[in-house]
Amino acid sequence: MLRLKTDPMKRHQVTIIDIAKELNLSKSTVSRALTGHPSVNAVTRQAVLELAEKLDYQRNMLAISLITKKTNTIGIIVPEFYSSFFPNVIMGAQEVAGKAGYNTVICQCNESYETEVANTKVMLANQVDGILVSITKETRNFDHLKIFHRKGIPIVFFNRVCDEMDVPKVIVDDYDGAYRAVNYLLEKGRKRIAHLAGPSSLKISEKRLSGYKAALKRNNIELDEDLIISYDLSMDKVKIYVNHLLNLERPPDAIFAVNDPTAIEAIQVIKKRGLRVPEDIAVVGFSNDYASGLIEPSLTTVSQPVKEIGQTAAQLLIEQISRDVSDWKTIIRVLKTELIIRKSS
Amino acid sequence: MLRLKTDPMKRHQVTIIDIAKELNLSKSTVSRALTGHPSVNAVTRQAVLELAEKLDYQRNMLAISLITKKTNTIGIIVPEFYSSFFPNVIMGAQEVAGKAGYNTVICQCNESYETEVANTKVMLANQVDGILVSITKETRNFDHLKIFHRKGIPIVFFNRVCDEMDVPKVIVDDYDGAYRAVNYLLEKGRKRIAHLAGPSSLKISEKRLSGYKAALKRNNIELDEDLIISYDLSMDKVKIYVNHLLNLERPPDAIFAVNDPTAIEAIQVIKKRGLRVPEDIAVVGFSNDYASGLIEPSLTTVSQPVKEIGQTAAQLLIEQISRDVSDWKTIIRVLKTELIIRKSS
DNA sequence: CTGTTAGCGCCTTCAT
DNA sequence: ATGAAGGCGCTAACAG
């Protein structure tokens, strides 16, 4: 529970009153000078500004926000900080938000639904003007997010979106990316391509899986359900699944992983077993994380325009914020992916 | 400049008054029920709580903070999000802060001093209860941080600390880490060890450099200034410096880099030139970033207890917050490093 | 146990 | 060009 008692020592904050007294002015005049209101004597303004500077006066945004009902703050909720993906998206979003005069408060959920719910409450209590969110792998119920919608606080999804809410979303063409990746493997002569898929609760998993299936079908390869493993993205399980695949009577000659961390982990396991990548088994990932270009062999992967995802999402959110609820758009912005061919395939 | 006009459409916020009216109670009673004050009829409380839940009532932290002069928010300012280091420190800090009931607002500075100054203003305006900071490579003037001290807002440095401020700091033993790393290289028979150092404005650069020098001295190796290159940590320059080193008349047989990204980049350059790591030239980094274990050859590096740094820093900060200014401690917590020996040396 | 009052720091009418 | 008064949503003394 939250503690509330006022600080015993009361740090002294410099307030408008302080500078009003000092300069023998009314609070309103000082306030006007500080906010750049035109109707205030140039000399007075100058004096106020100088004193403010000298005293390290900082406007109390809490008080201002209380009045204006605007905090100029947007919240960003991401499921994890494990890979470089989300930090980079955040950088893109912060860039756009910052330029538009918005602050950002960031919450990371450790892939936990509970934490996500708690984080939304925090955002609400702190009166953010809008939120950007990518859900956790556990999130199946969206009531905590629908509240925002109901309260008229704009929300924009990115990457891991919520299907049942009619709000703007920024995604990449996961289906197409997966399709092209698998298609490439087939062109290179691979016959048995396994897929380490993500949890079906995430739309991106589903789309990447469809792309995978479509590519097989297009190339007249029969789908072998044994080669598809859906897992919950906990890295420690990758080892088990990859070993399982390699132990099959007819093991795969390629693995298409739902994301880069999975692919990277898979490569480690394969190498540890003394098999060669890509000679014995090719590996392709999804996202083009920072580490992908560094591992040996370097990872072939479907690159996402990470920064652009963040920028676009922030852009859409800011547009919504200045719009009336009744006027909200439910744009879905689909960004393009690119197949980065490296040595692992 | 900041825009202030009140939203034209005024989203309706559920307030204590709403539920007071509905239940025919006074605001104070409702408030008490909501805050778990004991002196309130169980039935009344129940009714209030239920209605609040039903209406998605959220206490307006802005208003509360305005009164209590406490936002239960701590700010974290980091120089970059490039490597996995800072995101991980943040996770550690958030864990501790969250448990203690604190929110976190995170600012990333892109290694820009200007941005850092702007970010501190944001923190101030939003009345954070304290800040955790690691400075940018450009930061030489600390006035923007001293303001916090003067205002009685606790500040704790970590990793990249400010020497001229008497506040708590969380660091690792950079000197010792560097010493052991270089010593190890010497034990392995390396004779000419180069050092890609960081900018001298950062204490960590200086300490790691001292450790490097000390190890050489202890082993009676003459210091060759040509083998020490200080640079500003902009990754694109690594290539130039490494090539420069390799082109020397008597090139080094090992490189000790100030951090992992630098070491990783160095390895790439070396490999591209057709040289072998570690046979022709060994490489050692500092930090044990996520990518270090993945590259080929895997990187020998000095590991820092990343999460613990964040946890300790948050811990210290929270202690300060509840203390009176006059009672602030200036503890410097030095955490241990560990030499992780991998294949690059 | 509950209601009343004052005020956190600031901005915004309305006056002058 | 400046002052005075009211109120944002809430809590913290006071009263009953």
Side-chain angles (χ1 to χ4, degrees), chain B residues 20-65:
Chain B
K21 267 186 195 150
E22 186 75 22
L23 260 37
N24 215 352
L25 287 169
S26 75
K27 295 166 233 169
S28 19
T29 306
V30 175
S31 171
R32 282 192 272 260
L34 254 16
T35 49
H37 199 98
S39 72
V40 55
N41 189 317
V43 185
T44 320
R45 154 175 298 120
Q46 189 57 22
V48 170
L49 259 28
E50 266 170 22
L51 188 56
E53 172 82 4
K54 188 180 141 209
L55 298 179
D56 289 325
Y57 168 79
Q58 290 290 144
R59 294 160 78 197
N60 186 333
M61 292 312 286
L62 296 178
I64 296 179
S65 298

Side-chain angles (χ1 to χ4, degrees), chain A residues 1-7 9-14 34-36 54-73 81-83 87-88 90-91 94 100-101 103-108 110 121-122 124-127 129 147 150-154 261 264 268 271 290-291 293-296 320-325 328, chain B residues 1-7 9-14 34-36 54-73 81-83 87-88 90-91 94 100-101 103-108 110 121-122 124-127 129 147 150-154 261 264 268 271 290-291 293-296 320-325 328:
Chain A
M1 209 50 199
L2 194 62
R3 280 205 248 102
L4 277 180
K5 40 181 173 186
T6 323
D7 256 27
M9 45 151 174
K10 284 202 182 201
R11 325 187 202 290
H12 182 62
Q13 203 204 334
V14 182
L34 254 17
T35 49
K54 188 180 141 210
L55 298 179
D56 288 326
Y57 168 79
Q58 291 289 145
R59 294 159 80 194
N60 186 332
M61 293 312 286
L62 297 177
I64 296 179
S65 298
L66 193 58
I67 295 175
T68 59
K69 292 184 183 307
K70 220 176 165 290
T71 52
N72 283 293
T73 300
F81 260 11
Y82 183 74
S83 71
N88 280 317
I90 289 172
M91 285 179 66
Q94 275 186 327
N103 276 132
T104 20
V105 346
I106 298 158
C107 285
Q108 177 272 340
N110 267 320
K121 299 237 191 268
V122 166
L124 240 26
N126 286 291
Q127 316 282 119
D129 291 339
I147 292 179
R150 218 177 309 136
K151 293 209 180 216
I153 300 170
I264 289 171
Q268 310 293 323
K271 281 165 70 176
Y290 168 63
L294 302 172
I295 55 161
E296 183 69 28
Q320 299 287 88
I321 290 175
S322 51
R323 228 188 281 284
D324 190 89
V325 196
W328 283 3
Chain B
M1 208 54 200
L2 194 65
R3 279 206 248 100
L4 277 178
K5 40 180 175 190
T6 323
D7 253 26
M9 45 152 174
K10 286 201 183 203
R11 325 187 201 290
H12 181 61
Q13 201 202 337
V14 182
L34 254 16
T35 49
K54 188 180 141 209
L55 298 179
D56 289 325
Y57 168 79
Q58 290 290 144
R59 294 160 78 197
N60 186 333
M61 292 312 286
L62 296 178
I64 296 179
S65 298
L66 193 58
I67 295 174
T68 59
K69 293 187 181 306
K70 224 180 162 289
T71 51
N72 283 293
T73 299
F81 260 11
Y82 182 74
S83 71
N88 279 317
I90 289 172
M91 285 178 67
Q94 276 187 326
N103 275 134
T104 20
V105 347
I106 298 157
C107 284
Q108 177 272 340
N110 267 318
K121 299 236 190 269
V122 166
L124 239 26
N126 286 291
Q127 316 283 117
D129 292 339
I147 292 179
R150 217 177 310 137
K151 294 209 180 215
I153 301 170
I264 289 171
Q268 310 294 323
K271 281 166 69 176
Y290 168 63
L294 302 172
I295 54 160
E296 183 67 28
Q320 299 287 87
I321 290 176
S322 51
R323 225 189 283 283
D324 188 272
V325 196
W328 282 5

Side-chain angles (χ1 to χ4, degrees), chain B residues 114-177:
Chain B
E114 301 256 318
T115 309
E116 185 178 288
V117 173
N119 284 339
T120 57
K121 299 236 190 269
V122 166
M123 300 282 180
L124 239 26
N126 286 291
Q127 316 283 117
V128 293
D129 292 339
I131 55 170
L132 250 36
V133 7
S134 197
I135 62 176
T136 76
K137 66 183 184 190
E138 296 179 354
T139 310
R140 254 141 256 220
N141 178 308
F142 301 95
D143 292 348
H144 58 300
L145 295 170
K146 286 176 185 159
I147 292 179
F148 286 83
H149 203 246
R150 217 177 310 137
K151 294 209 180 215
I153 301 170
I155 173 168
V156 171
F157 286 100
F158 64 96
N159 185 252
R160 304 196 192 166
V161 306
C162 162
D163 236 32
E164 51 183 274
M165 288 178 68
D166 256 351
V167 297
K169 291 162 197 173
V170 179
I171 53 177
V172 298
D173 196 336
D174 292 291
Y175 172 90
D176 179 65

Side-chain angles (χ1 to χ4, degrees), chain A residues 41-309:
Chain A
N41 189 315
V43 184
T44 320
R45 154 175 297 121
Q46 189 57 21
V48 170
L49 259 28
E50 265 169 23
L51 188 58
E53 172 81 3
K54 188 180 141 210
L55 298 179
D56 288 326
Y57 168 79
Q58 291 289 145
R59 294 159 80 194
N60 186 332
M61 293 312 286
L62 297 177
I64 296 179
S65 298
L66 193 58
I67 295 175
T68 59
K69 292 184 183 307
K70 220 176 165 290
T71 52
N72 283 293
T73 300
I74 65 170
I76 305 183
I77 301 182
V78 298
E80 46 102 347
F81 260 11
Y82 183 74
S83 71
S84 65
F85 181 78
F86 288 109
N88 280 317
V89 172
I90 289 172
M91 285 179 66
Q94 275 186 327
E95 187 189 315
V96 170
K99 275 186 193 147
Y102 285 87
N103 276 132
T104 20
V105 346
I106 298 158
C107 285
Q108 177 272 340
C109 306
N110 267 320
E111 292 284 16
S112 147
Y113 167 70
E114 301 256 318
T115 310
E116 184 178 288
V117 174
N119 284 339
T120 58
K121 299 237 191 268
V122 166
M123 300 281 179
L124 240 26
N126 286 291
Q127 316 282 119
V128 293
D129 291 339
I131 55 169
L132 249 36
V133 8
S134 197
I135 61 176
T136 77
K137 68 184 185 191
E138 296 179 357
T139 310
R140 253 142 258 221
N141 179 309
F142 301 95
D143 291 347
H144 58 300
L145 295 171
K146 286 177 186 157
I147 292 179
F148 287 83
H149 203 246
R150 218 177 309 136
K151 293 209 180 216
I153 300 170
I155 174 170
V156 171
F157 286 101
F158 65 95
N159 185 252
R160 303 197 192 166
V161 305
C162 162
D163 235 34
E164 51 183 271
M165 287 177 67
D166 257 351
V167 296
K169 291 162 197 172
V170 179
I171 52 177
V172 298
D173 195 336
D174 292 291
Y175 171 90
D176 178 65
Y179 181 92
R180 296 217 317 266
V182 175
N183 204 52
Y184 171 76
L185 285 169
L186 292 167
E187 277 174 8
K188 290 289 242 174
R190 304 290 166 168
K191 302 291 181 203
R192 284 179 63 71
I193 302 172
H195 180 36
L196 279 175
S200 58
S201 60
L202 297 179
K203 204 70 191 168
I204 49 172
S205 310
E206 292 294 293
K207 295 236 189 96
R208 291 173 195 176
L209 176 60
S210 316
Y212 161 84
K213 287 181 177 171
L216 293 184
K217 191 163 189 182
R218 173 66 158 280
N219 289 269
N220 298 313
I221 306 273
E222 201 185 342
L223 191 69
D224 183 348
E225 290 287 353
D226 288 349
L227 294 183
I228 300 177
I229 298 179
S230 277
Y231 88 114
D232 66 359
L233 302 179
S234 14
M235 280 311 133
D236 49 323
K237 300 223 183 98
V238 174
K239 189 178 176 173
I240 301 171
Y241 297 130
V242 171
N243 275 320
H244 166 77
L245 286 171
L246 297 178
N247 290 338
L248 285 179
E249 201 169 328
R250 295 171 51 217
D253 54 10
I255 294 179
F256 169 54
V258 68
N259 60 20
D260 275 10
T262 305
I264 289 171
E265 193 65 22
I267 290 182
Q268 310 293 323
V269 177
I270 295 170
K271 281 165 70 176
K272 204 161 277 171
R273 273 182 70 133
L275 294 173
R276 293 160 308 162
V277 179
E279 292 81 353
D280 297 319
I281 183 161
V283 178
V284 175
F286 204 113
S287 274
N288 194 24
D289 283 359
Y290 168 63
S292 314
L294 302 172
I295 55 161
E296 183 69 28
S298 53
L299 183 67
T300 295
T301 184
V302 180
S303 131
Q304 308 192 51
V306 199
K307 221 174 165 191
E308 195 185 338
I309 293 174

